[in-house]
Amino acid sequence: MFVSDKALELVPRYRAFLEKYIIPLEQGAIYGSFRAHLPALQALRVKAKEEGLFAPHLPVSHGGLGLSLVDFASISEVLGTSPLGHYVFNCNAPDIGNMELMHQFASPYLQEKYLRPLERGEIRSCFAMTEPEHAGSNPVHMSTTAVREGDEYVINGHKWFTSSADGASFTIVMAVTNPLAENKYERASMIVVPLDNPGYRMIRNIPIMGDEGEDYLSHSEVEFVNCRVPVSHLIGTEGSGFTLAQVRLGPGRIHHCMRWIGICERALGMMCDRAIERELNPGHSLAMQQTIQNWIAESAAEIKASRLLVLNTAHIIENKGAKAAKEDISTIKFYVSDVLMKVIDRAIQVHGGLGITDDTMLSFWYRHERGSRIYDGPDEVHKSVLARSILKSRKG
Ligand SMILES: Cc1cc2nc3c(=O)[nH]c(=O)nc-3n(C[C@H](O)[C@H](O)[C@H](O)COP(=O)(O)OP(=O)(O)OC[C@H]3O[C@@H](n4cnc5c(N)ncnc54)[C@H](O)[C@@H]3O)c2cc1C
């Protein structure tokens, strides 16, 4: 649906690249040391460039493939089948969101200094909005401030869940610059902070269900103490932070949802393979049990429904803008994350004890994708947005 011939031709090429080069690295990079695998992953980035597959989301003029959102979504599903897929092709969150944001709103100076190296895959970035002291679901309440002193902003604040801060070169920080603005959505701004700044400190990588992670595969708690940056590091205009955050999140939810569908596809494949090969008695496989068949059928149907919903939403965003797709964006966020949880859980159950070991990717996804129901707006918030919109339309 809506996917161009160009993307259809690319899909098997990405699939082959993943199978040949990326999946063999998974065990070591995911359950061992990600950092120790950086040279091998870097070599794959070079290979991806040579094969003309690097940065599929970027315009051709910036070294990418110039794909539409719908086409990128279909590639994103393939890349999502490995936890390393998006990273190797430099279209991983949070970098991809920062690239899209800076492409549209950063000054030529910021683009040259930070965006270009990010696009080339030479550096990584992160995004610091959520604060431990405030409900992230309603980020208008935040304590981080950026006070202007001459030609500088002085930033003070405490953030957490700054994904991939470990090893990143810069962050985009959300800070209150206009505390007196009448409209609460016009009080904060986005500012670029290089992470070698003496006023920045990484406190820790937050353990996620027992896994601290490192580098790209981590979520940090960080602080800014009298952190000074030039005012030229402001993205957009003062007070535009929440407007920019919305722009950043629209396509971002398409990226996440298609990645989740990729995970579901792989988990379903593993579920089927295991059910076929595992014998309860000689000649009697797990796949012959009706409960297992139900799980396979339900998963396949839910994955298909998810894909159609997400591609349709991408199509609306592309043709009518993110505002017109507001209901659809909320729908896919909570629907697909729920499908993701169900499919991973069923796949684990079919694998029995093996499912909870680190011998397959299932336990990594079970641990790390639980967050999918929380980040980019908790599911409950999106359900509320959808329900209120439906109720409003009933009133005429
Ligand atoms: C894996 C992961 C990665 C993340 N990466 C980043 C990042 O890179 N940068 C960043 O700034 N932040 C990041 N976050 C933070 C994320 O944006 C917040 O966790 C999210 O906004 C929720 O905020 P909170 O954790 O403070 O939960 P709270 O706001 O305290 O909400 C707790 C719970 O309350 C319920 N709830 C909230 N609002 C409503 C409502 N209106 N109606 C009904 N129930 C409601 C929901 O069940 C919700 O889960 C990440 C989080 C995770 C889990």
Side-chain angles (χ1 to χ4, degrees):
M1 191 173 76
F2 310 127
V3 181
S4 75
D5 289 344
K6 182 180 172 185
L8 291 175
E9 180 264 324
L10 283 167
V11 162
R13 291 179 58 202
Y14 278 102
R15 217 178 272 288
F17 194 104
L18 263 118
E19 277 167 19
K20 191 163 177 195
Y21 303 114
I22 298 180
I23 290 178
L25 285 186
E26 276 179 347
Q27 268 295 329
I30 297 297
Y31 293 123
S33 163
F34 182 85
R35 195 161 273 142
H37 285 76
L38 281 174
L41 292 164
Q42 189 53 35
L44 287 189
R45 283 184 161 194
V46 172
K47 192 155 196 52
K49 279 183 190 166
E50 285 165 4
E51 296 200 8
L53 298 173
F54 193 68
H57 61 295
L58 288 178
V60 175
S61 56
H62 290 234
L65 298 190
L67 297 182
S68 68
L69 184 60
V70 171
D71 283 353
F72 175 65
S74 59
I75 303 293
S76 192
E77 175 179 341
V78 179
L79 302 187
T81 57
S82 169
L84 302 171
H86 287 81
Y87 178 87
V88 167
F89 295 96
N90 198 28
C91 51
N92 49 289
D95 290 329
I96 184 169
N98 288 347
M99 284 186 227
E100 283 168 353
L101 181 84
M102 293 181 81
H103 185 70
Q104 280 190 71
F105 299 105
S107 64
Y109 160 73
L110 289 177
Q111 289 190 352
E112 203 49 48
K113 192 163 165 91
Y114 296 100
L115 176 58
R116 300 290 171 251
L118 189 62
E119 289 176 330
R120 291 192 294 265
E122 293 162 5
I123 59 171
R124 281 198 301 96
S125 66
C126 53
F127 183 71
M129 179 159 84
T130 309
E131 302 180 352
E133 296 82 6
H134 299 284
S137 342
N138 187 16
V140 286
H141 299 293
M142 85 174 45
S143 298
T144 302
T145 55
V147 177
R148 192 168 170 160
E149 280 185 16
D151 287 343
E152 290 181 325
Y153 284 113
V154 184
I155 303 171
N156 280 286
H158 181 200
K159 303 282 186 183
W160 81 336
F161 276 96
T162 306
S163 298
S164 312
D166 183 9
S169 296
F170 73 91
T171 187
I172 296 176
V173 66
M174 185 83 132
V176 175
T177 44
N178 305 59
L180 302 178
E182 206 166 309
N183 183 340
K184 61 186 178 182
Y185 295 102
E186 292 174 1
R187 291 179 191 154
S189 304
M190 287 194 190
I191 300 170
V192 172
V193 178
L195 297 188
D196 59 0
N197 190 304
Y200 164 84
R201 186 168 77 96
M202 193 180 101
I203 298 171
R204 61 171 177 152
N205 282 338
I206 309 161
I208 304 295
M209 300 197 190
D211 182 10
E212 209 174 90
E214 61 181 13
D215 206 79
Y216 157 64
L217 291 178
S218 65
H219 308 280
S220 300
E221 180 178 351
V222 305
E223 70 174 348
F224 302 86
V225 180
N226 295 325
C227 178
R228 290 176 174 271
V229 292
V231 288
S232 58
H233 280 209
L234 175 73
I235 299 180
T237 53
E238 262 195 10
S240 67
F242 288 110
T243 308
L244 300 189
Q246 281 313 311
V247 175
R248 190 179 181 279
L249 282 173
R253 291 189 179 120
I254 299 288
H255 304 159
H256 276 307
C257 286
M258 290 309 282
R259 186 175 61 78
W260 298 339
I261 293 169
I263 296 172
C264 288
E265 273 292 353
R266 179 134 171 235
L268 173 60
M270 292 168 71
M271 196 190 314
C272 294
D273 291 347
R274 182 72 178 172
I276 291 166
E277 81 191 14
R278 191 66 158 174
E279 289 190 330
L280 299 172
N281 287 307
H284 191 101
S285 73
L286 211 45
M288 292 170 170
Q289 300 300 117
Q290 195 176 29
T291 300
I292 310 293
Q293 292 169 0
N294 283 345
W295 290 343
I296 290 168
E298 283 161 11
S299 301
E302 287 161 357
I303 292 169
K304 202 174 262 187
S306 298
R307 185 183 299 112
L308 292 174
L309 276 175
V310 180
L311 290 180
N312 186 51
T313 304
H315 182 70
I316 297 172
I317 293 178
E318 214 150 45
N319 290 284
K320 298 185 184 163
K323 210 168 170 188
K326 199 170 170 224
E327 277 192 14
D328 303 86
I329 291 170
S330 282
T331 305
I332 58 169
K333 168 65 197 18
F334 71 78
Y335 183 80
V336 185
S337 61
D338 189 50
V339 169
L340 174 66
M341 288 298 102
K342 286 195 282 200
V343 173
I344 294 173
D345 189 67
R346 288 174 193 142
I348 287 177
Q349 195 69 11
V350 169
H351 280 73
L354 174 62
I356 57 167
T357 69
D358 289 352
D359 288 357
T360 80
M361 285 301 117
L362 292 172
S363 69
F364 173 82
W365 285 320
Y366 191 75
R367 190 188 297 153
H368 287 281
E369 298 303 341
R370 178 60 183 84
S372 66
R373 298 193 54 221
I374 297 168
Y375 60 76
D376 273 15
D379 287 5
E380 294 70 28
V381 175
H382 287 287
K383 286 179 186 173
S384 194
V385 167
L386 177 61
R388 278 188 279 128
S389 177
I390 292 169
L391 290 168
K392 198 172 160 196
S393 71
R394 298 291 296 176
K395 284 189 206 151

